[in-house]
Amino acid sequence: MVPWNKEAFRAGLRFVKNRTFSMFYREYEQLLEKEILSSEIPDHIAVIMDGNRRYAGQLGKARSFGHAMGAEVTEQVIEWCYEIGVKELTLYAFSTENFQRSEEEVDGLFNLINEKFLKLYYDKRTYEKEMQVRVIGDRTKLPAFLTESVEKIEKATEHHQNFNLNVAIAYGGRQDIMQAVRDIAACVSSGKLSLEDVDENLISKHLYPAPGVSVPNVDLIVRTGGDERVSNFLPWQANGSECATYFCAPFWPEFRKIDLLRSIRVYQARKDEKNQEQSYRVSKVVNFLRVGKYGEKGEELGQLLPVKKQGVS
């Protein structure tokens, strides 16, 4: 008779459980991807990659371990976005507030970011995808070796137009707007611009990366790690476009393709709701004009005033 081995039994049980879950996960992922591909894909997704340090802490590991695992997920997310047809991806890699962390952690992050930029530079897939890589943020705060790698990858991909990857380093949304305002004020003071030239388009052109084509409006912001806030990330591009937001619990190193697909499904559902609301309002306008009885339709006219402000007549 074979002696009872508790550890072997537990190992076998874990194997069966993981294999079953893996099969279910793949099927669900395929169904979800098929569903979201049948509708409109957001052109521009921005991601706040939060939770690396907490993930490492839960495992009893150093913070550098969490950042390294998060960097691996970042590479996968770039691939997933490209595969499903996203045109632009902006990643919040290092904020201006992150400089308050320990010197050891900041140096480790800059070294890790530098390593990933060099990997992109030498990876043939960067050129096969025609992926343009740009950095947004205050470059004067970056170490020389990282600035050199940034300029290297930007120069190598500057003519690519198929997929845009923006990496926010030493970035803050208010700081971005402030530097744009200062730049515009200097142009007005020197006579290169007049006050009448200043409008939304002009301000957008002076946002990071300036000079150059500015980051466009965001369609969807994704934040991991459980916090429901956007942390001063792309305020001009996000608030102006009323973009969708998706907050999820997994820490960034735990982020899966399913989570990305779910975020896109939220964007699509919000888009459908707005389209239905607009269609309803337009139908009310048509019915009102058809009946033409202002006395009987006074209440409906009051409901239509916001629509007329949007240009529907």
Side-chain angles (χ1 to χ4, degrees):
M1 183 175 180
V2 179
W4 168 255
N5 188 323
K6 181 186 287 188
E7 292 304 318
F9 175 78
R10 287 179 175 174
L13 191 62
R14 283 197 303 270
F15 174 79
V16 172
K17 180 181 178 181
N18 291 338
R19 186 176 180 85
T20 302
F21 179 79
S22 178
M23 293 172 59
F24 171 77
Y25 175 88
R26 284 197 299 271
E27 289 183 7
Y28 177 54
E29 178 187 303
Q30 291 170 359
L31 288 172
L32 195 54
E33 185 167 0
K34 183 178 180 181
E35 177 185 339
I36 69 112
L37 288 176
S38 65
S39 189
E40 179 181 340
I41 300 296
D43 286 331
H44 184 190
I45 296 179
V47 184
I48 302 172
M49 306 177 291
D50 192 22
N52 289 339
R53 301 197 298 174
R54 284 176 287 164
Y55 172 79
Q58 282 191 350
L59 298 176
K61 302 281 189 178
R63 291 174 175 176
S64 58
F65 174 81
H67 294 311
M69 293 299 98
E72 296 298 318
V73 171
T74 300
E75 292 184 24
Q76 292 180 317
V77 169
I78 294 171
E79 289 288 332
W80 297 336
C81 285
Y82 175 81
E83 289 171 359
I84 61 181
V86 175
K87 299 299 182 184
E88 189 135 4
L89 175 65
T90 302
L91 302 172
Y92 209 175
F94 192 95
S95 71
T96 50
E97 289 77 15
N98 290 154
F99 282 106
Q100 299 173 9
R101 298 180 180 180
S102 69
E103 183 178 347
E104 179 184 2
E105 185 176 359
V106 171
D107 289 344
L109 277 167
F110 283 155
N111 283 318
L112 180 60
I113 293 170
N114 185 68
E115 176 188 321
K116 295 305 176 182
F117 276 136
L118 291 176
K119 186 175 181 179
L120 282 173
Y121 178 79
Y122 289 110
D123 193 334
K124 64 178 182 180
R125 292 174 298 178
T126 299
Y127 307 95
E128 291 172 349
K129 292 183 177 68
E130 293 190 22
M131 178 169 66
Q132 184 182 75
V133 182
R134 300 188 300 172
V135 165
I136 60 175
D138 187 354
R139 303 188 185 200
T140 64
K141 296 181 179 180
L142 303 182
F145 70 88
L146 181 53
T147 301
E148 182 180 341
S149 296
V150 167
E151 292 174 352
K152 193 173 183 178
I153 186 65
E154 286 186 332
K155 182 67 176 177
T157 63
E158 63 181 343
H159 298 300
H160 294 176
Q161 298 181 346
N162 195 37
F163 179 76
N164 296 324
L165 173 64
N166 308 306
V167 184
I169 310 175
Y171 176 87
R174 289 188 175 185
Q175 163 204 315
D176 190 9
I177 295 173
M178 185 173 65
Q179 66 84 25
V181 170
R182 285 176 174 172
D183 194 15
I184 293 171
C187 291
V188 171
S189 178
S190 65
K192 294 179 181 179
L193 292 171
S194 67
L195 287 176
E196 289 72 23
D197 295 326
V198 180
D199 57 17
E200 289 189 14
N201 289 331
L202 182 69
I203 295 173
S204 295
K205 290 178 181 178
H206 283 79
L207 296 172
Y208 292 130
V213 179
S214 58
V215 175
N217 284 344
V218 179
D219 298 308
L220 170 65
I221 288 183
V222 177
R223 179 174 187 140
T224 62
D227 285 340
E228 297 187 3
R229 51 195 175 91
V230 294
S231 297
N232 197 22
F233 188 37
L234 300 176
W236 182 271
Q237 295 90 338
N239 295 333
S241 62
E242 296 185 358
C243 73
T245 53
Y246 181 77
F247 304 108
C248 58
F251 298 135
W252 182 244
E254 301 171 317
F255 193 74
R256 306 161 299 171
K257 189 174 184 179
I258 278 180
D259 299 308
L260 176 65
L261 297 174
R262 284 172 173 167
S263 73
I264 294 175
R265 186 170 61 181
V266 167
Y267 161 81
Q268 292 174 338
R270 187 166 186 260
K271 193 83 172 178
D272 290 342
E273 288 175 1
K274 291 176 70 175
N275 290 338
Q276 289 173 8
E277 180 182 354
Q278 182 67 16
S279 297
Y280 173 76
R281 289 185 174 184
V282 170
S283 68
K284 282 286 189 179
V285 173
V286 173
N287 289 337
F288 175 79
L289 294 176
R290 183 182 296 124
V291 173
K293 295 180 180 179
Y294 292 85
E296 297 177 7
K297 293 293 181 177
E299 182 179 348
E300 291 177 86
L301 177 60
Q303 296 174 352
L304 296 178
L305 289 177
V307 181
K308 296 185 71 175
K309 291 180 181 179
Q310 297 175 9
V312 178
S313 59

